[in-house]
Amino acid sequence: MAPITAASEAHHHRSTTKVSNKAFKTRHTSKSALKDRAKGKVESFEKGSRKTPHQQIMSKLDRRNHAKQIRTNKSVERAKEESVFNGRDGAPRIVAIVPLCEDVKGSEVVKQLNSSVDVEEEAPLVDATPWRVEIPRFKQKVQYLTPGRDLLEGMDACRTADFVMFMLSANEEVDEFGEQILRVIESQGVSTVLTGVHNLDSIEPAKKRPDVVKSLKSFITHFFATQEKVHDLSSRQDCSNVMRSLCTTMPKGIRWREDRSWMVAEDVRWEGENAVVTGVVRGRGLKADRLVQVGDWGDFQIEKITAAPLEVRKKGQRTDAMAVDMPEAGDVLEQPTEDQEDLAELAPEEMMEDAMPVSVAPLERKAVLLDDHEYFDEDDRDQLELPKRLPRGTSKYQAAWYLGDVSDSGSDMEDVELEGDDDIDGLPAAGPADGHFDDIMAEPTEAGAPSEYPQTEAFNDIAPDDEAEQIEAYRKQRRDEAEDDREFPDEIELHPHVAARERLARYRGLKSLRTSTWDTAEDKPYEPEEFSRLLEILDYKSAKNRVLKEALVGGVKPGTRVNVHLQIPSDQIAVLQARPKPRALFSLLRHEHKRTAVNMSISLSSDYEKPLRSKEELIVQCGPRRLVINPLFSQGGNTPNNVHKFDRYLHPGRTAVATFLGPVIWGSVPCLFFKRPQPSDAIEDLAQSISDPKLQLIATGTSLPPSTNRVIAKRIILTGHPYKIHKKLVTVRYMFFNTEDVQYFRALQLWTKRGRSGFIKEALGMHGYFKATFDGKVNPMDSVAVSLYKRVWPRGAVAWRPGVEAGDMAGLVEDGGMVVE
């Protein structure tokens, strides 16, 4: 038996006399329990209770009724969308077959799809012609578009299609053209997408076919992540499933396209001097008062819209009963009214001459413009700046010899108020290199005693020949440094024999690029002649909503097959008859033919590794239009003064705003930027695989609100070398080359690469040397700089025509405008 120890005899008291039983847990709490728990609480609700005041007031019956109304409205909206395809005269479902490999033929794919639903139709004789087929099994009509291996043809087909079916090959990989067209179609906006594989039955042995399908699915999901299956078109069952999806699925559509009226051009013919386009109206109602954009032909007015029903009658059907409310062929459905838009792109000159005063270029300035006013004008230039503090006993005559550059302890100084001192302005505000000069210098510089004045030392001018050699050596060193580290992308170098005040007469200074007021009256003499006639949109958001709401009402009902009679100017008939027939017709919204300052965001493609120079020729596709542009690149974002810095180059990985003068586009529309490859570009491999290597996709973007008041400011930087340094006082050279230029630009704020800021005190000698005071000690290896800005104006765009070079279309440029309240 174990002995009893002292530890076993110890007595322990329980920690508490109260027993806490386990709480009862219920899965659901009754409403009465929740009300009791929330008594006295004003804005505290338990989990599961109704949050909003409206939900608290509504009873259970009201909530059920509200949910029922939402379901009913969605059902009505869905039925309205599907009604376009229903009925004997319903619109066909447009399907674009896009081959991504050379061994895939669109006509063969269409025959396989049709045979799976027991439809035998002969293919059209001309390729890329719309192929209309009726599917009795699903009581639907399908219209096939079979573009060839052409970039623009494939883009036009997918732009008007309800369904886009990409065809892959089981024997060949997707080439560079296939990848390019995938990126282009993905960027321009696409409706419902399906994917199929051709010639999969040729893969032997059969057990390798699932691996091929898996590989193709991995490829297509890189571009369209929602693709769940790659259909085998060699299987009749898969073809039947594809046709079921095409005939029963509601296409999601494209946002910018559904806001307008559009149709696929089934036939284009000439009747006298008028062109007639036949097709089925889609999107919004087609109005005769609005202009239409017909493929690459251009914009035209509508003379009239007539009915063009298909004459299809079944055996034993009564035609007299069907004649009720059914338009006959040739019946006029819509005619223009007094509200019809004209083809004028600009505001009338007479209206603009009466509304705007004549602008005259200013005479020769006495000093540079800083923000919205001019410092150191003619009255002030002859007066030397007076110091605030002088040695005791200094007379007014002696005070003129003190320039006040060096700070002192102030033991022998006194504050004096001399005559005329009340009109002296304070020092210009300091700021960093980007032009933000809103911060005041940390230590204001005061005038010093004569014993500490470096200016009193004699200044010897260098001989012109020796100075020219020193300038060349200094600039060569600067160029080498700029190649290694591009700290000053806007830096320019002035020629020693060129006056800066004449060379930079249009430039001005800004205390802050983001907040300083930009005086637009100074730009009037230099703006393009037609810039005041451009369309000016005062409130873009409200104007856009008003235009989009206007398109919802009226016009020929969607789903109606019509003939659109176009008014063709007599001087364009012969030219248009020689061009290829257009593939689609888009109705323009109100004012979309008028020109304004168009803004688009632009980001370079990852495949394009070179920087893109501003004003370089590009071809942009925005919605239904293709334009040849020379855009200006500028920084994006919103600023209080609506001033944005001009970018000379758009580098890879950066996003900018491209601005040009062109037609208005309402809403956010995807934009694609193409470039004609130069002969020096390495495109040999690309040309082997692309049938039309004339266009190369280099960037994508989105349309932004247009604005004629958006100022694009081009910045230049003049740099100088710190020649002598004494504390905060620096002698600077090589920025200017004569005394007059120093006096002209003396109001501008100076800054250095290492963050110092200062201002010009006085000119030295006759070769542009000057003394400047900074807010701190300047490093000898630093550079002194000053920023100047001028407004640059966007260039006009012209409509792109296939086979026509930009130089031949230069005479078509026309810039102009009107005002939308």
Side-chain angles (χ1 to χ4, degrees), residues 32-59:
S32 59
L34 290 175
K35 291 180 180 179
D36 294 339
R37 194 182 304 175
K39 281 184 178 179
K41 297 181 181 179
V42 180
E43 295 182 356
S44 177
F45 302 99
E46 296 293 335
K47 183 178 179 181
S49 62
R50 295 184 291 275
K51 300 293 190 300
T52 63
H54 181 64
Q55 289 177 339
Q56 298 175 38
I57 298 174
M58 291 176 61
S59 63

Side-chain angles (χ1 to χ4, degrees), residues 535-554:
L535 177 69
E536 183 179 356
I537 304 174
L538 303 181
D539 188 352
Y540 174 80
K541 187 175 181 179
S542 62
K544 181 194 70 173
N545 294 335
R546 186 167 59 251
V547 169
L548 295 180
K549 289 181 180 178
E550 181 186 21
L552 296 174
V553 183

Side-chain angles (χ1 to χ4, degrees), residues 100 166 168 174 177-187 219-220 223-224:
L100 301 180
F166 294 107
L168 303 170
V174 179
F177 172 76
E179 293 185 5
Q180 184 183 23
I181 199 170
L182 278 172
R183 294 190 184 94
V184 168
I185 294 174
E186 179 188 14
S187 301
F219 170 79
I220 198 65
F223 299 94
F224 300 95

Side-chain angles (χ1 to χ4, degrees), residues 347-360:
E349 295 184 4
E350 298 79 7
M351 182 184 71
M352 304 310 298
E353 290 177 357
D354 298 339
M356 303 196 60
V358 179
S359 300
V360 181

